[in-house]
């Protein structure tokens, strides 16, 4: 996508989020108002998005696609258990680093808007599969049932962590992420329990 189109899409998302913060109702977000604020046309916005829900769905997909690309690169270049452990940790670090200042609203919408919820559920499965792979390769010798339990629990904990971290001021997030990551690492070190 050409840079100007990408910039416009980002600006539309930002305007929609600002409008939502002001009005507190997604029904009050209009393409006409966004177009007027951005000095563009409704047709140009409609070429990217068909509905208001679409704006937030595409933003959610874009954020996760970037995160998965980065994570996949780390997994691909991993060769040793230590490399896989590092890829596991990098995911949490990168996730927190890339959270937007409007992460709270974006997260809430991902749990509310029907298409966003569908995407979130599919993405959750993808995240769990990667956790499972990383646990298996980063902490070798674990029983398959233990790997499945740990990856399921870490996925649940991670999504709870998301709900918490998005409401924390940006400058405090990395310390909480570090504590969360250390806690998860302690649990994963257990071979037969947890």
């Amino acid at each position: 996508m050409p840079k100007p189109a990408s910039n416009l899409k980002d600006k539309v998302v930002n305007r929609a989020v600002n409008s939502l913060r002001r009005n507190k109702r997604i029904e009050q977000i209009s393409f006409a108002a966004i177009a007027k604020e951005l000095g563009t046309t409704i047709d140009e916005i409609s070429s990217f998005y068909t509905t208001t829900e679409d704006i937030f769905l595409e933003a959610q997909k874009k954020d996760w696609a970037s995160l998965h690309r980065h994570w996949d690169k780390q997994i691909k270049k991993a060769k040793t258990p230590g490399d896989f452990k590092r890829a596991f940790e990098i995911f949490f670090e990168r996730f927190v680093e890339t959270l937007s200042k409007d992460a709270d609203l974006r997260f809430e919408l991902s749990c509310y808007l029907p298409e966003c919820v569908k995407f979130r559920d599919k993405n959750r499965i993808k995240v769990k599969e990667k956790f499972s792979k990383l646990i298996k390769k980063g902490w070798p010798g674990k029983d398959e049932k233990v790997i499945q339990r740990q990856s399921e629990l870490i996925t649940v904990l991670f999504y709870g962590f998301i709900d918490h971290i998005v409401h924390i001021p940006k400058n405090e997030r990395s310390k909480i992420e570090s504590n969360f990551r250390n806690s998860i690492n302690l649990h994963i070190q257990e071979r037969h329990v947890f």
Side-chain angles (χ1 to χ4, degrees):
M1 173 182 322
K3 191 74 168 164
S6 180
N7 286 343
L8 181 59
K9 285 179 83 169
D10 291 340
K11 287 178 182 178
V12 169
V13 171
N14 291 336
R15 292 293 176 175
V17 168
N18 289 341
S19 179
L20 189 58
R21 269 212 204 279
R22 279 192 313 265
N23 300 322
K24 306 288 187 211
R25 298 186 57 99
I26 197 157
E27 300 83 19
Q28 293 180 337
I29 298 172
S30 77
F31 282 14
I34 292 171
K36 184 177 179 183
E37 287 178 37
L38 294 177
T40 189
T41 65
I42 294 173
D43 288 341
E44 192 164 8
I45 292 173
S46 297
S47 70
F48 304 127
Y49 307 110
T50 54
T51 64
T52 304
E53 181 176 7
D54 227 12
I55 294 171
F56 295 104
L57 176 63
E58 290 305 315
Q60 182 183 9
K61 285 181 176 180
K62 180 182 173 190
D63 291 345
W64 276 104
S66 172
L67 187 61
H68 279 292
R69 270 193 311 276
H70 186 270
W71 200 14
D72 289 341
K73 284 179 190 173
Q74 300 302 314
I75 292 170
K76 188 174 181 179
K77 68 182 185 182
K79 303 290 183 233
T80 67
D83 294 341
F84 286 101
K85 287 177 185 178
R86 185 67 190 132
F88 182 82
E89 292 177 349
I90 283 173
F91 169 74
F92 298 111
E93 292 171 7
R94 180 73 175 189
F95 177 81
V96 170
E97 286 171 6
T98 59
L99 284 173
S100 71
K101 64 180 172 51
D102 297 311
D104 57 335
L105 274 180
R106 290 181 186 217
F107 175 75
E108 288 170 19
L109 290 170
S110 77
C111 299
Y112 166 72
L113 297 171
E115 290 304 312
C116 292
V117 171
K118 285 180 194 173
F119 174 79
R120 182 175 186 258
D121 290 344
K122 279 199 254 183
N123 189 64
R124 184 183 182 123
I125 292 166
K126 195 174 179 181
V127 168
K128 181 185 166 201
E129 288 169 354
K130 287 183 184 177
F131 283 157
S132 182
K133 179 180 182 177
L134 290 170
I135 292 168
K136 186 175 192 169
K137 294 188 178 231
W139 290 267
K142 286 181 182 274
D143 177 87
E144 192 61 37
K145 288 182 181 178
V146 172
I147 293 169
Q148 288 308 312
R149 279 197 316 268
Q150 287 184 334
S151 59
E152 182 66 42
L153 186 56
I154 289 166
T155 304
V156 169
L157 291 172
F158 172 64
Y159 276 84
F161 169 75
I162 294 173
D163 186 25
H164 177 71
I165 200 78
V166 297
H167 296 96
I168 301 296
K170 201 161 177 67
N171 62 342
E172 296 174 27
R173 291 175 180 167
S174 63
K175 183 176 181 184
I176 293 169
E177 178 274 325
S178 176
N179 291 338
F180 174 75
R181 186 173 23 91
N182 289 338
S183 176
I184 292 293
N185 272 324
L186 288 173
H187 288 296
I188 293 179
Q189 289 173 25
E190 292 295 329
R191 284 203 173 293
H192 302 294
V193 292
F194 167 62

